[in-house]
Amino acid sequence: MNEITVNVWGKPVEVSVYQKSKSVWIAVGTYMGAHLEVKGSSRTSALSHWQKAAEYKGG
């Protein structure tokens, strides 16, 4: 599992990302007290989806 820093509304947040299967990546992290876990078809996609979910939560 890799730790990646993602900027959410200009604030850095640590997100863990790992490959669950050949075409499924999972990004997991906590933002504003909420546990967010999202899937993507690639590492970049999973991180992007996580960032959008966090922005939605914080917006």
Side-chain angles (χ1 to χ4, degrees):
M1 195 175 306
N2 294 326
E3 296 289 324
I4 306 294
T5 301
V6 175
N7 286 318
V8 180
W9 300 115
K11 296 181 182 180
V13 181
E14 290 292 316
V15 178
S16 299
V17 63
Y18 64 94
Q19 192 170 12
K20 185 173 181 177
S21 67
K22 187 175 181 179
S23 62
V24 177
W25 288 75
I26 308 291
V28 180
T30 302
Y31 184 69
M32 294 183 62
H35 176 80
L36 301 173
E37 182 173 325
V38 299
K39 297 178 183 177
S41 59
S42 68
R43 180 177 175 266
T44 304
S45 173
L47 288 169
S48 177
H49 291 315
W50 190 94
Q51 183 182 29
K52 289 175 185 171
E55 288 174 348
Y56 180 78
K57 172 76 177 161

Tab-separated table of all heavy atoms in Angstrom:
chain	number	residue	atom	x	y	z
A	1	MET	N	0.858	-1.173	0.000
A	1	MET	CA	0.000	0.000	0.000
A	1	MET	C	0.902	1.234	0.000
A	1	MET	O	1.819	1.328	0.789
A	1	MET	CB	-0.910	-0.026	1.231
A	1	MET	CG	-2.037	0.922	1.120
A	1	MET	SD	-3.252	0.858	2.475
A	1	MET	CE	-3.730	-0.832	2.543
A	2	ASN	N	0.618	2.154	-0.884
A	2	ASN	CA	1.395	3.381	-1.003
A	2	ASN	C	0.634	4.546	-0.389
A	2	ASN	O	-0.572	4.653	-0.547
A	2	ASN	CB	1.677	3.714	-2.472
A	2	ASN	CG	2.577	2.691	-3.120
A	2	ASN	OD1	3.453	2.141	-2.488
A	2	ASN	ND2	2.351	2.444	-4.387
A	3	GLU	N	1.367	5.433	0.285
A	3	GLU	CA	0.793	6.664	0.821
A	3	GLU	C	1.062	7.786	-0.170
A	3	GLU	O	2.199	7.999	-0.580
A	3	GLU	CB	1.417	7.009	2.178
A	3	GLU	CG	1.140	5.993	3.259
A	3	GLU	CD	-0.300	6.005	3.726
A	3	GLU	OE1	-0.903	7.091	3.788
A	3	GLU	OE2	-0.820	4.927	4.025
A	4	ILE	N	0.025	8.476	-0.563
A	4	ILE	CA	0.126	9.573	-1.521
A	4	ILE	C	-0.514	10.806	-0.892
A	4	ILE	O	-1.545	10.704	-0.228
A	4	ILE	CB	-0.627	9.237	-2.838
A	4	ILE	CG1	-0.157	7.919	-3.428
A	4	ILE	CG2	-0.518	10.373	-3.845
A	4	ILE	CD1	1.270	7.906	-3.900
A	5	THR	N	0.080	11.968	-1.120
A	5	THR	CA	-0.516	13.214	-0.649
A	5	THR	C	-1.380	13.801	-1.757
A	5	THR	O	-0.923	13.982	-2.883
A	5	THR	CB	0.573	14.231	-0.247
A	5	THR	OG1	1.383	13.654	0.780
A	5	THR	CG2	-0.040	15.513	0.270
A	6	VAL	N	-2.631	14.065	-1.415
A	6	VAL	CA	-3.602	14.639	-2.351
A	6	VAL	C	-4.034	15.991	-1.789
A	6	VAL	O	-4.289	16.113	-0.593
A	6	VAL	CB	-4.828	13.706	-2.492
A	6	VAL	CG1	-5.905	14.339	-3.353
A	6	VAL	CG2	-4.419	12.363	-3.055
A	7	ASN	N	-4.103	16.994	-2.632
A	7	ASN	CA	-4.574	18.308	-2.190
A	7	ASN	C	-6.086	18.400	-2.334
A	7	ASN	O	-6.627	18.180	-3.412
A	7	ASN	CB	-3.916	19.427	-2.999
A	7	ASN	CG	-2.480	19.635	-2.600
A	7	ASN	OD1	-2.157	19.621	-1.416
A	7	ASN	ND2	-1.610	19.819	-3.561
A	8	VAL	N	-6.753	18.710	-1.216
A	8	VAL	CA	-8.202	18.892	-1.203
A	8	VAL	C	-8.462	20.312	-0.722
A	8	VAL	O	-8.141	20.650	0.416
A	8	VAL	CB	-8.896	17.876	-0.273
A	8	VAL	CG1	-10.399	18.089	-0.281
A	8	VAL	CG2	-8.553	16.456	-0.689
A	9	TRP	N	-8.988	21.138	-1.602
A	9	TRP	CA	-9.227	22.550	-1.315
A	9	TRP	C	-7.959	23.206	-0.772
A	9	TRP	O	-7.988	23.973	0.179
A	9	TRP	CB	-10.385	22.745	-0.344
A	9	TRP	CG	-11.689	22.207	-0.856
A	9	TRP	CD1	-12.404	21.182	-0.329
A	9	TRP	CD2	-12.441	22.647	-2.000
A	9	TRP	NE1	-13.540	20.948	-1.072
A	9	TRP	CE2	-13.593	21.843	-2.104
A	9	TRP	CE3	-12.233	23.642	-2.953
A	9	TRP	CZ2	-14.532	22.008	-3.110
A	9	TRP	CZ3	-13.179	23.806	-3.962
A	9	TRP	CH2	-14.314	22.996	-4.029
A	10	GLY	N	-6.813	22.857	-1.370
A	10	GLY	CA	-5.539	23.470	-1.014
A	10	GLY	C	-4.862	22.902	0.218
A	10	GLY	O	-3.799	23.372	0.610
A	11	LYS	N	-5.442	21.883	0.833
A	11	LYS	CA	-4.855	21.276	2.031
A	11	LYS	C	-4.376	19.863	1.701
A	11	LYS	O	-5.113	19.072	1.113
A	11	LYS	CB	-5.872	21.212	3.166
A	11	LYS	CG	-6.312	22.572	3.640
A	11	LYS	CD	-7.296	22.456	4.779
A	11	LYS	CE	-7.756	23.837	5.212
A	11	LYS	NZ	-8.716	23.769	6.318
A	12	PRO	N	-3.140	19.517	2.106
A	12	PRO	CA	-2.632	18.169	1.829
A	12	PRO	C	-3.282	17.119	2.728
A	12	PRO	O	-3.460	17.335	3.921
A	12	PRO	CB	-1.132	18.292	2.130
A	12	PRO	CG	-1.030	19.428	3.087
A	12	PRO	CD	-2.160	20.365	2.768
A	13	VAL	N	-3.658	16.003	2.123
A	13	VAL	CA	-4.279	14.886	2.834
A	13	VAL	C	-3.579	13.602	2.406
A	13	VAL	O	-3.378	13.372	1.214
A	13	VAL	CB	-5.789	14.783	2.512
A	13	VAL	CG1	-6.431	13.627	3.269
A	13	VAL	CG2	-6.507	16.088	2.810
A	14	GLU	N	-3.219	12.744	3.373
A	14	GLU	CA	-2.583	11.465	3.069
A	14	GLU	C	-3.643	10.434	2.676
A	14	GLU	O	-4.631	10.249	3.392
A	14	GLU	CB	-1.804	10.947	4.279
A	14	GLU	CG	-0.559	11.747	4.591
A	14	GLU	CD	0.508	11.605	3.522
A	14	GLU	OE1	0.748	10.477	3.068
A	14	GLU	OE2	1.076	12.638	3.142
A	15	VAL	N	-3.429	9.795	1.551
A	15	VAL	CA	-4.348	8.780	1.033
A	15	VAL	C	-3.549	7.516	0.734
A	15	VAL	O	-2.457	7.583	0.169
A	15	VAL	CB	-5.046	9.279	-0.255
A	15	VAL	CG1	-5.969	8.214	-0.822
A	15	VAL	CG2	-5.804	10.566	0.000
A	16	SER	N	-4.088	6.376	1.117
A	16	SER	CA	-3.467	5.089	0.795
A	16	SER	C	-4.095	4.560	-0.476
A	16	SER	O	-5.309	4.645	-0.660
A	16	SER	CB	-3.698	4.083	1.921
A	16	SER	OG	-3.113	4.541	3.118
A	17	VAL	N	-3.261	4.009	-1.348
A	17	VAL	CA	-3.780	3.449	-2.592
A	17	VAL	C	-3.136	2.087	-2.830
A	17	VAL	O	-1.955	1.895	-2.566
A	17	VAL	CB	-3.553	4.415	-3.788
A	17	VAL	CG1	-2.095	4.644	-4.050
A	17	VAL	CG2	-4.254	3.932	-5.037
A	18	TYR	N	-3.971	1.132	-3.243
A	18	TYR	CA	-3.453	-0.214	-3.510
A	18	TYR	C	-4.262	-0.868	-4.623
A	18	TYR	O	-5.382	-0.468	-4.916
A	18	TYR	CB	-3.474	-1.075	-2.245
A	18	TYR	CG	-4.852	-1.362	-1.690
A	18	TYR	CD1	-5.535	-2.526	-2.029
A	18	TYR	CD2	-5.469	-0.473	-0.815
A	18	TYR	CE1	-6.796	-2.794	-1.511
A	18	TYR	CE2	-6.720	-0.732	-0.292
A	18	TYR	CZ	-7.378	-1.892	-0.640
A	18	TYR	OH	-8.631	-2.146	-0.132
A	19	GLN	N	-3.652	-1.875	-5.222
A	19	GLN	CA	-4.289	-2.601	-6.317
A	19	GLN	C	-4.988	-3.832	-5.758
A	19	GLN	O	-4.352	-4.711	-5.175
A	19	GLN	CB	-3.244	-3.008	-7.350
A	19	GLN	CG	-3.835	-3.511	-8.632
A	19	GLN	CD	-2.795	-3.675	-9.735
A	19	GLN	OE1	-1.600	-3.615	-9.490
A	19	GLN	NE2	-3.266	-3.869	-10.953
A	20	LYS	N	-6.303	-3.906	-5.935
A	20	LYS	CA	-7.098	-5.028	-5.437
A	20	LYS	C	-7.103	-6.190	-6.429
A	20	LYS	O	-7.057	-7.343	-6.038
A	20	LYS	CB	-8.520	-4.567	-5.151
A	20	LYS	CG	-9.387	-5.616	-4.527
A	20	LYS	CD	-10.723	-5.055	-4.111
A	20	LYS	CE	-11.570	-6.134	-3.469
A	20	LYS	NZ	-12.847	-5.612	-3.002
A	21	SER	N	-7.184	-5.854	-7.712
A	21	SER	CA	-7.132	-6.867	-8.767
A	21	SER	C	-6.505	-6.220	-9.989
A	21	SER	O	-6.079	-5.077	-9.936
A	21	SER	CB	-8.533	-7.409	-9.073
A	21	SER	OG	-9.329	-6.402	-9.654
A	22	LYS	N	-6.481	-6.949	-11.090
A	22	LYS	CA	-5.806	-6.449	-12.284
A	22	LYS	C	-6.309	-5.074	-12.723
A	22	LYS	O	-5.525	-4.221	-13.130
A	22	LYS	CB	-5.970	-7.462	-13.419
A	22	LYS	CG	-5.175	-7.112	-14.648
A	22	LYS	CD	-5.277	-8.205	-15.698
A	22	LYS	CE	-4.456	-7.847	-16.921
A	22	LYS	NZ	-4.513	-8.893	-17.939
A	23	SER	N	-7.615	-4.865	-12.628
A	23	SER	CA	-8.167	-3.600	-13.111
A	23	SER	C	-8.930	-2.813	-12.039
A	23	SER	O	-9.716	-1.928	-12.359
A	23	SER	CB	-9.087	-3.851	-14.298
A	23	SER	OG	-10.179	-4.660	-13.899
A	24	VAL	N	-8.680	-3.114	-10.767
A	24	VAL	CA	-9.351	-2.390	-9.685
A	24	VAL	C	-8.319	-1.864	-8.695
A	24	VAL	O	-7.544	-2.638	-8.121
A	24	VAL	CB	-10.378	-3.277	-8.941
A	24	VAL	CG1	-11.006	-2.517	-7.783
A	24	VAL	CG2	-11.452	-3.760	-9.893
A	25	TRP	N	-8.313	-0.554	-8.523
A	25	TRP	CA	-7.456	0.117	-7.556
A	25	TRP	C	-8.351	0.757	-6.501
A	25	TRP	O	-9.448	1.232	-6.811
A	25	TRP	CB	-6.612	1.186	-8.229
A	25	TRP	CG	-5.520	0.623	-9.076
A	25	TRP	CD1	-5.646	0.041	-10.300
A	25	TRP	CD2	-4.135	0.569	-8.752
A	25	TRP	NE1	-4.414	-0.360	-10.766
A	25	TRP	CE2	-3.469	-0.037	-9.832
A	25	TRP	CE3	-3.377	1.004	-7.663
A	25	TRP	CZ2	-2.099	-0.240	-9.843
A	25	TRP	CZ3	-2.014	0.809	-7.674
A	25	TRP	CH2	-1.391	0.189	-8.748
A	26	ILE	N	-7.884	0.774	-5.250
A	26	ILE	CA	-8.635	1.326	-4.133
A	26	ILE	C	-7.840	2.471	-3.511
A	26	ILE	O	-6.650	2.324	-3.241
A	26	ILE	CB	-8.900	0.263	-3.044
A	26	ILE	CG1	-9.526	-1.005	-3.644
A	26	ILE	CG2	-9.742	0.832	-1.907
A	26	ILE	CD1	-10.916	-0.853	-4.142
A	27	ALA	N	-8.503	3.593	-3.285
A	27	ALA	CA	-7.911	4.722	-2.571
A	27	ALA	C	-8.696	4.905	-1.277
A	27	ALA	O	-9.931	4.945	-1.295
A	27	ALA	CB	-7.966	5.990	-3.406
A	28	VAL	N	-7.968	4.991	-0.150
A	28	VAL	CA	-8.586	5.065	1.165
A	28	VAL	C	-7.956	6.199	1.957
A	28	VAL	O	-6.733	6.337	1.985
A	28	VAL	CB	-8.387	3.745	1.945
A	28	VAL	CG1	-9.038	3.819	3.310
A	28	VAL	CG2	-8.909	2.563	1.168
A	29	GLY	N	-8.799	6.989	2.604
A	29	GLY	CA	-8.292	8.058	3.452
A	29	GLY	C	-9.409	8.666	4.271
A	29	GLY	O	-10.581	8.347	4.090
A	30	THR	N	-9.017	9.548	5.183
A	30	THR	CA	-9.984	10.228	6.040
A	30	THR	C	-9.934	11.716	5.748
A	30	THR	O	-8.859	12.308	5.699
A	30	THR	CB	-9.658	9.966	7.524
A	30	THR	OG1	-9.680	8.566	7.759
A	30	THR	CG2	-10.666	10.648	8.434
A	31	TYR	N	-11.103	12.299	5.562
A	31	TYR	CA	-11.198	13.736	5.324
A	31	TYR	C	-12.360	14.288	6.131
A	31	TYR	O	-13.468	13.763	6.054
A	31	TYR	CB	-11.399	14.036	3.835
A	31	TYR	CG	-11.408	15.512	3.536
A	31	TYR	CD1	-10.247	16.265	3.662
A	31	TYR	CD2	-12.568	16.162	3.151
A	31	TYR	CE1	-10.240	17.632	3.402
A	31	TYR	CE2	-12.570	17.511	2.884
A	31	TYR	CZ	-11.406	18.235	3.018
A	31	TYR	OH	-11.405	19.583	2.767
A	32	MET	N	-12.090	15.299	6.934
A	32	MET	CA	-13.085	15.922	7.806
A	32	MET	C	-13.791	14.882	8.678
A	32	MET	O	-15.012	14.924	8.859
A	32	MET	CB	-14.097	16.722	6.980
A	32	MET	CG	-13.487	17.917	6.277
A	32	MET	SD	-14.696	18.907	5.373
A	32	MET	CE	-15.769	19.444	6.690
A	33	GLY	N	-13.044	13.922	9.175
A	33	GLY	CA	-13.588	12.903	10.056
A	33	GLY	C	-14.332	11.775	9.363
A	33	GLY	O	-14.809	10.856	10.016
A	34	ALA	N	-14.435	11.827	8.059
A	34	ALA	CA	-15.164	10.789	7.307
A	34	ALA	C	-14.171	9.860	6.618
A	34	ALA	O	-13.224	10.316	5.984
A	34	ALA	CB	-16.086	11.416	6.281
A	35	HIS	N	-14.404	8.572	6.745
A	35	HIS	CA	-13.595	7.555	6.069
A	35	HIS	C	-14.111	7.444	4.634
A	35	HIS	O	-15.279	7.140	4.410
A	35	HIS	CB	-13.726	6.217	6.798
A	35	HIS	CG	-13.017	5.098	6.118
A	35	HIS	ND1	-11.674	4.904	6.238
A	35	HIS	CD2	-13.477	4.124	5.297
A	35	HIS	CE1	-11.331	3.847	5.518
A	35	HIS	NE2	-12.410	3.357	4.943
A	36	LEU	N	-13.229	7.699	3.676
A	36	LEU	CA	-13.613	7.614	2.265
A	36	LEU	C	-12.821	6.504	1.594
A	36	LEU	O	-11.599	6.443	1.737
A	36	LEU	CB	-13.326	8.938	1.557
A	36	LEU	CG	-14.014	10.180	2.112
A	36	LEU	CD1	-13.496	11.424	1.403
A	36	LEU	CD2	-15.514	10.068	1.960
A	37	GLU	N	-13.520	5.637	0.899
A	37	GLU	CA	-12.894	4.546	0.151
A	37	GLU	C	-13.533	4.494	-1.222
A	37	GLU	O	-14.747	4.332	-1.338
A	37	GLU	CB	-13.090	3.215	0.880
A	37	GLU	CG	-12.432	2.057	0.199
A	37	GLU	CD	-12.487	0.780	1.017
A	37	GLU	OE1	-12.414	0.844	2.249
A	37	GLU	OE2	-12.610	-0.291	0.395
A	38	VAL	N	-12.722	4.670	-2.261
A	38	VAL	CA	-13.252	4.680	-3.626
A	38	VAL	C	-12.443	3.746	-4.522
A	38	VAL	O	-11.304	3.415	-4.217
A	38	VAL	CB	-13.267	6.103	-4.232
A	38	VAL	CG1	-14.146	7.031	-3.432
A	38	VAL	CG2	-11.870	6.656	-4.329
A	39	LYS	N	-13.074	3.339	-5.620
A	39	LYS	CA	-12.437	2.450	-6.585
A	39	LYS	C	-12.154	3.194	-7.876
A	39	LYS	O	-12.848	4.148	-8.216
A	39	LYS	CB	-13.346	1.266	-6.909
A	39	LYS	CG	-13.644	0.365	-5.750
A	39	LYS	CD	-14.594	-0.731	-6.165
A	39	LYS	CE	-14.962	-1.592	-4.975
A	39	LYS	NZ	-15.933	-2.624	-5.341
A	40	GLY	N	-11.162	2.725	-8.592
A	40	GLY	CA	-10.852	3.249	-9.909
A	40	GLY	C	-10.220	2.162	-10.745
A	40	GLY	O	-9.775	1.137	-10.227
A	41	SER	N	-10.164	2.386	-12.045
A	41	SER	CA	-9.594	1.380	-12.949
A	41	SER	C	-8.075	1.480	-13.027
A	41	SER	O	-7.428	0.616	-13.603
A	41	SER	CB	-10.209	1.527	-14.341
A	41	SER	OG	-9.962	2.828	-14.841
A	42	SER	N	-7.519	2.547	-12.440
A	42	SER	CA	-6.066	2.720	-12.384
A	42	SER	C	-5.734	3.442	-11.078
A	42	SER	O	-6.633	3.952	-10.395
A	42	SER	CB	-5.563	3.550	-13.573
A	42	SER	OG	-6.029	4.883	-13.463
A	43	ARG	N	-4.475	3.503	-10.762
A	43	ARG	CA	-4.029	4.204	-9.551
A	43	ARG	C	-4.435	5.679	-9.621
A	43	ARG	O	-5.002	6.234	-8.683
A	43	ARG	CB	-2.510	4.058	-9.429
A	43	ARG	CG	-1.890	4.706	-8.246
A	43	ARG	CD	-0.378	4.376	-8.265
A	43	ARG	NE	0.329	5.048	-7.234
A	43	ARG	CZ	0.947	6.227	-7.388
A	43	ARG	NH1	0.946	6.818	-8.559
A	43	ARG	NH2	1.577	6.776	-6.377
A	44	THR	N	-4.157	6.297	-10.753
A	44	THR	CA	-4.477	7.707	-10.951
A	44	THR	C	-5.977	7.952	-10.876
A	44	THR	O	-6.430	8.925	-10.272
A	44	THR	CB	-3.927	8.185	-12.309
A	44	THR	OG1	-2.529	7.932	-12.349
A	44	THR	CG2	-4.191	9.662	-12.522
A	45	SER	N	-6.743	7.070	-11.467
A	45	SER	CA	-8.195	7.192	-11.463
A	45	SER	C	-8.742	7.094	-10.039
A	45	SER	O	-9.605	7.883	-9.640
A	45	SER	CB	-8.808	6.105	-12.337
A	45	SER	OG	-10.205	6.096	-12.235
A	46	ALA	N	-8.258	6.129	-9.269
A	46	ALA	CA	-8.720	5.963	-7.894
A	46	ALA	C	-8.406	7.204	-7.063
A	46	ALA	O	-9.244	7.674	-6.290
A	46	ALA	CB	-8.089	4.724	-7.268
A	47	LEU	N	-7.203	7.758	-7.221
A	47	LEU	CA	-6.838	8.968	-6.479
A	47	LEU	C	-7.694	10.159	-6.889
A	47	LEU	O	-8.120	10.952	-6.051
A	47	LEU	CB	-5.355	9.281	-6.683
A	47	LEU	CG	-4.392	8.331	-5.982
A	47	LEU	CD1	-2.964	8.562	-6.470
A	47	LEU	CD2	-4.485	8.492	-4.479
A	48	SER	N	-7.961	10.273	-8.179
A	48	SER	CA	-8.803	11.366	-8.672
A	48	SER	C	-10.221	11.249	-8.118
A	48	SER	O	-10.809	12.245	-7.679
A	48	SER	CB	-8.825	11.342	-10.197
A	48	SER	OG	-9.679	12.335	-10.692
A	49	HIS	N	-10.773	10.043	-8.120
A	49	HIS	CA	-12.119	9.827	-7.585
A	49	HIS	C	-12.159	10.133	-6.088
A	49	HIS	O	-13.130	10.694	-5.583
A	49	HIS	CB	-12.589	8.400	-7.840
A	49	HIS	CG	-12.861	8.088	-9.268
A	49	HIS	ND1	-13.552	8.919	-10.115
A	49	HIS	CD2	-12.525	7.011	-10.025
A	49	HIS	CE1	-13.643	8.370	-11.317
A	49	HIS	NE2	-13.013	7.213	-11.277
A	50	TRP	N	-11.090	9.758	-5.375
A	50	TRP	CA	-11.027	10.030	-3.936
A	50	TRP	C	-11.009	11.533	-3.696
A	50	TRP	O	-11.727	12.045	-2.838
A	50	TRP	CB	-9.793	9.372	-3.301
A	50	TRP	CG	-9.856	9.449	-1.811
A	50	TRP	CD1	-10.349	8.508	-0.970
A	50	TRP	CD2	-9.456	10.551	-0.982
A	50	TRP	NE1	-10.286	8.947	0.322
A	50	TRP	CE2	-9.747	10.211	0.342
A	50	TRP	CE3	-8.895	11.805	-1.233
A	50	TRP	CZ2	-9.490	11.054	1.415
A	50	TRP	CZ3	-8.646	12.655	-0.176
A	50	TRP	CH2	-8.933	12.276	1.131
A	51	GLN	N	-10.192	12.243	-4.460
A	51	GLN	CA	-10.107	13.692	-4.311
A	51	GLN	C	-11.462	14.351	-4.565
A	51	GLN	O	-11.894	15.241	-3.812
A	51	GLN	CB	-9.067	14.255	-5.274
A	51	GLN	CG	-8.866	15.759	-5.126
A	51	GLN	CD	-7.860	16.294	-6.126
A	51	GLN	OE1	-7.706	15.740	-7.210
A	51	GLN	NE2	-7.178	17.354	-5.749
A	52	LYS	N	-12.174	13.925	-5.594
A	52	LYS	CA	-13.493	14.475	-5.901
A	52	LYS	C	-14.502	14.174	-4.784
A	52	LYS	O	-15.318	15.025	-4.422
A	52	LYS	CB	-14.007	13.945	-7.234
A	52	LYS	CG	-13.247	14.531	-8.410
A	52	LYS	CD	-13.673	13.930	-9.722
A	52	LYS	CE	-12.795	14.476	-10.837
A	52	LYS	NZ	-13.004	13.792	-12.091
A	53	ALA	N	-14.428	12.965	-4.220
A	53	ALA	CA	-15.319	12.605	-3.115
A	53	ALA	C	-15.034	13.472	-1.896
A	53	ALA	O	-15.962	13.922	-1.205
A	53	ALA	CB	-15.151	11.126	-2.769
A	54	ALA	N	-13.763	13.726	-1.615
A	54	ALA	CA	-13.397	14.569	-0.476
A	54	ALA	C	-13.840	16.008	-0.705
A	54	ALA	O	-14.334	16.668	0.213
A	54	ALA	CB	-11.890	14.503	-0.241
A	55	GLU	N	-13.680	16.516	-1.924
A	55	GLU	CA	-14.119	17.878	-2.235
A	55	GLU	C	-15.626	18.002	-2.095
A	55	GLU	O	-16.132	19.013	-1.595
A	55	GLU	CB	-13.662	18.283	-3.638
A	55	GLU	CG	-12.188	18.539	-3.726
A	55	GLU	CD	-11.690	18.799	-5.138
A	55	GLU	OE1	-12.450	18.558	-6.106
A	55	GLU	OE2	-10.536	19.236	-5.263
A	56	TYR	N	-16.351	16.976	-2.508
A	56	TYR	CA	-17.803	16.972	-2.355
A	56	TYR	C	-18.183	17.000	-0.871
A	56	TYR	O	-19.070	17.741	-0.453
A	56	TYR	CB	-18.392	15.737	-3.041
A	56	TYR	CG	-19.894	15.656	-2.928
A	56	TYR	CD1	-20.721	16.430	-3.750
A	56	TYR	CD2	-20.487	14.815	-2.012
A	56	TYR	CE1	-22.096	16.362	-3.648
A	56	TYR	CE2	-21.871	14.740	-1.882
A	56	TYR	CZ	-22.664	15.516	-2.710
A	56	TYR	OH	-24.029	15.457	-2.598
A	57	LYS	N	-17.468	16.197	-0.078
A	57	LYS	CA	-17.713	16.132	1.365
A	57	LYS	C	-17.441	17.483	2.017
A	57	LYS	O	-18.171	17.923	2.896
A	57	LYS	CB	-16.821	15.047	1.978
A	57	LYS	CG	-16.813	14.984	3.462
A	57	LYS	CD	-18.065	14.348	3.986
A	57	LYS	CE	-17.978	14.237	5.507
A	57	LYS	NZ	-19.281	14.049	6.101
A	58	GLY	N	-16.366	18.152	1.577
A	58	GLY	CA	-15.958	19.404	2.198
A	58	GLY	C	-16.601	20.641	1.608
A	58	GLY	O	-16.429	21.739	2.113
A	59	GLY	N	-17.332	20.476	0.521
A	59	GLY	CA	-17.898	21.636	-0.171
A	59	GLY	C	-19.259	21.893	0.247
A	59	GLY	O	-19.923	22.682	0.621
